[in-house]
Amino acid sequence: MEQYLTATVDQSFLSKVRDADLPKMLFLSVNPNTLVEEPMTMAVDVSSSISRYTDGGPVGVGCVVQTGDVSCDSAYDSVDRLLQKFEMALREKSIAPVRRELQLRLLKLSSLELKDNESLSTLESNFSDDNDQLSYEEEDVLEFTEIFDMFEQQAPEGIKANFTKIIESKKIPIRRSRDTQNKKTFFVYAENKIMMKICNNLSPHDVFQMYDILRESKAVERDSFIKNILSQPVDPNALHEIPGLKDVAFYYLILALMRNHMLNRLYTHKLVFLFDQLKQMKVTKKETTQHIERALASLDRYPIASRPPGLCIIFIMVRDRDGAQKDLQRVRELFEKFYAFDVFVKKDPTSEDIKNIVSKLKAARNKFYDSLVVWFMGHGDKTNLKVSNGHIHRRLDLIEPFTQIEWFHKKPKLFFIQACAVKNKKKRLSSTTSPDMRGLPAATDSLGWKAKAGDQWTQKYDEHTDLCTVNTFADTLISYATMWYQSAARNEEGSLYVDTLVDQLRLYGNKESIENVLRRVHYNVNTVSLLSDDGQWKQAPYFESSLQKEFIFPKTDTNEKVNTN
């Protein structure tokens, strides 16, 4: 039975929102992660659902709304309806359907009734509280509160009140400082922010040409879904003349690709194909291509666009380790102050401490981080790392559990291990558990519409593509202080590996890929001559990586604001 919501709407705050910003705000509110959970049977059919989602005309200031529009109860419905409104806007050559959709979404969120919670969470309490999950409506409240702030608009009072209740009840740590550097802005997904930045730099003609490229491309001539997208009317003159309609056309294409599992935060080669073709067209006409080149560069990287950009967890054995406190100070200062990460430190951890922290990270409040960094500093050998109550296996007990956390799939996970790797004389540990080795997605196409590959490889694997799932060990980098069977240098002033890594990350971490930074670390460490009881020796760090894109730490200019224009 269809639910109806009756409420008085004071929309005076919304009248200040420009038409050009309306599609941006709605697109930013989409949770792209939910789009992989339920397949889309076909492109959106407006006629089949018009009775379910009716506007009933525009919503005005102080009017009473009585409609099924606001009874939407899932993220899938929300995205499908947004696609419908974008279709209507393109067909009617009007931004009005998009404005009505935003009004109705805000009405629903303002009308939510949430329980109060008197305790404010801290980052440390995240690792001792229950695994609270976020409902779709609660996540919507968090997103829209941040969206209004991004556009320097005041959110409705009802939404602001619910935001505070959610922060408290779900134990989401919000710093109390008024300094903008310490303000959390990570409820809007990074890939959406990246797409908005790309769209802002595109002209109406660029967007229209993207549709033309699809129409003329042989790569999609047998794709019925793309044909359905192209059936939507895109008037080049209207894209120029009507504020916001260019954005509607771009976001409609992006959402449709996402909804049909053809695009996500990791696999962006279809969009790269479009921009490559657009760049070639512009080069032929001797037009500027700098904005296209910037878009291609951003798509080649992991999307990191939120503050804090990630979570850094530091496990450090302090007892019987001279210089450990100085290592901790350097690492913590780098990630907490220089890169503005959330940092959690666990001194002298036990094996159970590590298991508990992994368990608490599965809470939905941690889903907004764009990256994960894990440090372990302590004694070790080739197989094991020493903890307070014994030993843990490097891979099975430290690395693998973190890679299996759902929120960090398709996101970069970096591990830095400062420990010796001397030969272990004990019997090698075994385990009855095995990694989740789901097939690595392999989207291929010699025409460029799919990931670039040779013809022979394409013919063999083209029918077995999957852009939704990943091997849990994918997107992981592990950096070790020393090669197997060798020692790692440390004295009362700290560790050579940590000193060098922190130095190079500070100098180049936000300019070059992490792999390039680590090569610099290896070079510098190898130049240092070390002295021990056995004579002179040199330390050789190394890393192993399954990263699929370029990872560069984001620049953290405290005065920099998200570009919404």
Side-chain angles (χ1 to χ4, degrees), residues 495-536:
S495 308
L496 172 60
Y497 168 75
V498 173
D499 271 350
T500 310
L501 180 53
V502 168
D503 175 68
Q504 294 299 304
L505 284 174
R506 186 180 293 273
L507 289 174
Y508 300 105
N510 56 12
K511 302 180 182 72
E512 300 181 4
S513 70
I514 184 63
E515 290 94 341
N516 281 350
V517 173
L518 290 175
R519 279 187 279 270
R520 291 177 179 275
V521 171
H522 298 176
Y523 185 94
N524 283 9
V525 168
N526 273 279
T527 65
V528 177
S529 180
L530 300 166
L531 184 64
S532 69
D533 294 338
D534 298 325
Q536 286 188 327

Side-chain angles (χ1 to χ4, degrees), residues 210-221 230 281:
M210 292 174 70
Y211 279 82
D212 263 359
I213 291 168
L214 282 177
R215 290 189 182 93
E216 297 174 5
S217 174
K218 293 182 179 180
V220 297
E221 62 185 2
L230 297 177
M281 294 171 64

Side-chain angles (χ1 to χ4, degrees), residues 373-377 385 394-395 398-399 413-419 476-484 497-498 500-502 505 514-515 517-519 521-522 525 539-547:
V373 175
V374 177
W375 286 77
F376 186 94
M377 293 179 273
L385 297 169
R394 285 176 180 248
R395 288 190 178 275
L398 179 68
I399 297 169
K413 298 166 283 291
L414 312 181
F415 295 83
F416 300 105
I417 299 180
Q418 160 60 33
T476 298
L477 180 143
I478 310 167
S479 173
Y480 301 92
T482 185
M483 293 291 291
W484 298 134
Y497 168 75
V498 173
T500 310
L501 180 53
V502 168
L505 284 174
I514 184 63
E515 290 94 341
V517 173
L518 290 175
R519 279 187 279 270
V521 171
H522 298 176
V525 168
Q539 182 175 328
Y542 84 104
F543 72 89
E544 53 189 27
S545 172
S546 63
L547 296 182

Side-chain angles (χ1 to χ4, degrees), residues 127 351-361:
F127 300 95
S351 57
E352 289 302 315
D353 288 332
I354 296 174
K355 289 179 181 178
N356 289 337
I357 289 173
V358 171
S359 177
K360 300 309 176 185
L361 275 178

